[in-house]
Amino acid sequence: MKKCYLYVLAIFLAGICFKSNAQQVPRIPEASPTQTIIQDFGLGKVTITYSRPSVKDRVIFGGINPYGEVWRTGANAATTISFTENVIFEGHSVPAGTYSLFTIPDKTEWTIILNKTAKQWGAYSYKEKDDLLRVKVKSTYRAEKRESFTIQFADVTTHSADLHLVWDHTSVYIKLNTDDDAKITANIDKLMQGDRKPYYFNAIQYYYENNKDMKKALGWALEAQKVEPKGPWYKLWEARIRLKMGDKTAAIKAAQEGVALAKASNDEEYVRLNQAVIDKAKS
């Protein structure tokens, strides 16, 4: 029994020692930290994972990243970009999926590459034959220096977005558009066949912002006012639609009614929004 006890004790102490040593393993920060950004886009999402090197007083483009050579668009593993829905990438249709995002920097123009091999370390095993798409975009000089390489989204709407690559004094813009208008329109048509009340606002807004059938959108706005006669928001959409259709007089009348409804409910935001339509129609 004594030997058994000593054996168990030895194993227990060894476990404590191992755990203690494991906890003492030193850690250091990554020189090029990894970042993942996710952007809602149309009916889906765009996800980008990349590592962010810093300038560190080096010459970047034309220096550590030579002109005319394939770059991983970051550091460490190749940058990946994922689309959960089909998209339009610089005017080209791209199926939903995950791709490596490579680039070829040059002085005034960059080649942007979507490569079908998503998991790669750097550009060492990059193969042009696996490219899904290559497009050229202009690069611009930035007076303000960006120390860390940055990928970001800007000017995001329901149907478009700009993808920015920014590092040092260089900026590149990539245009993305949704490729789901037919699906969204079909969804709206199906929803509007049932109880329309929960969907009026989004349906009207989508049709208005995407320059679709304004007569149909106007009809929905007028129907919605019957359901919510005290709401200034549908008067706003009626006014906006009528103005887009070129009827300034009717737009002003609807917006003025919207202002009155908003004032009655102490809704300063919709007073301002309806007044903005009036001002635009009168300008």
Side-chain angles (χ1 to χ4, degrees):
M1 287 292 295
K2 186 176 181 181
K3 288 184 177 179
C4 182
Y5 170 79
L6 292 174
Y7 178 74
V8 172
L9 180 62
I11 293 176
F12 176 73
L13 292 175
I16 293 177
C17 182
F18 176 80
K19 184 177 180 181
S20 176
N21 288 337
Q23 289 176 339
Q24 293 175 6
V25 173
R27 298 178 61 205
I28 58 175
E30 292 288 338
S32 300
T34 300
Q35 181 179 53
T36 296
I37 57 174
I38 302 174
Q39 176 64 58
D40 288 347
F41 191 49
L43 292 176
K45 296 180 184 294
V46 182
T47 303
I48 299 174
T49 299
Y50 71 111
S51 294
R52 306 184 63 186
S54 296
V55 176
K56 298 178 180 177
D57 297 321
R58 299 176 295 180
V59 176
I60 302 301
F61 300 113
I64 63 170
N65 293 327
Y67 290 132
E69 293 187 11
V70 176
W71 178 42
R72 70 188 84 184
T73 320
N76 304 324
T79 293
T80 60
I81 183 167
S82 299
F83 307 106
T84 59
E85 298 284 337
N86 299 343
V87 300
I88 307 297
F89 189 98
E90 277 291 327
H92 300 268
S93 296
V94 172
T98 301
Y99 307 94
S100 289
L101 178 64
F102 290 106
T103 49
I104 302 176
D106 218 322
K107 290 182 179 180
T108 59
E109 186 178 65
W110 283 30
T111 300
I112 311 298
I113 302 168
L114 294 182
N115 188 270
K116 291 179 285 186
T117 304
K119 300 294 185 180
Q120 302 187 53
W121 183 262
Y124 303 108
S125 59
Y126 163 79
K127 294 181 177 61
E128 185 174 345
K129 67 180 181 64
D130 293 331
D131 288 351
L132 172 76
L133 177 68
R134 281 188 171 214
V135 295
K136 292 185 181 295
V137 298
K138 297 295 183 182
S139 64
T140 57
Y141 175 82
R142 288 168 44 91
E144 181 184 356
K145 178 181 177 180
R146 183 69 60 88
E147 175 65 22
S148 297
F149 175 56
T150 303
I151 299 179
Q152 61 194 23
F153 290 93
D155 299 327
V156 180
T157 71
T158 57
H159 56 84
S160 66
D162 288 335
L163 184 61
H164 291 187
L165 312 181
V166 185
W167 198 16
D168 197 14
H169 291 285
T170 299
S171 181
V172 171
Y173 289 29
I174 302 168
K175 192 70 177 177
L176 302 180
N177 293 92
T178 57
D179 192 25
D180 48 20
D181 177 69
K183 185 184 291 186
I184 293 172
T185 303
N187 290 348
I188 290 173
D189 288 343
K190 187 174 182 179
L191 291 170
M192 300 304 277
Q193 290 174 9
D195 179 10
R196 299 184 177 189
K197 184 177 179 179
Y199 310 114
Y200 276 125
F201 195 96
N202 287 343
I204 294 166
Q205 182 180 39
Y206 186 81
Y207 265 57
Y208 175 83
E209 291 183 350
N210 291 277
N211 296 310
K212 299 185 76 65
D213 188 338
M214 289 297 103
K215 288 184 178 180
K216 182 182 283 190
L218 178 60
W220 289 337
L222 296 176
E223 287 177 15
Q225 289 173 39
K226 296 176 183 178
V227 178
E228 296 185 56
K230 294 183 179 180
W233 33 87
Y234 291 123
K235 278 295 180 183
L236 172 65
W237 284 114
E238 178 193 348
R240 285 175 170 173
I241 293 166
R242 290 192 184 281
L243 184 58
K244 182 171 278 193
M245 294 173 72
D247 191 343
K248 293 185 177 182
T249 301
I252 291 171
K253 181 176 181 295
Q256 287 173 337
E257 292 171 354
V259 169
L261 289 171
K263 286 181 177 179
S265 59
N266 295 315
D267 193 329
E268 294 183 3
E269 180 181 6
Y270 275 90
V271 170
R272 176 179 57 80
L273 292 172
N274 277 283
Q275 186 61 50
V277 178
I278 297 170
D279 296 341
K280 185 175 180 181
K282 289 182 176 181
S283 63

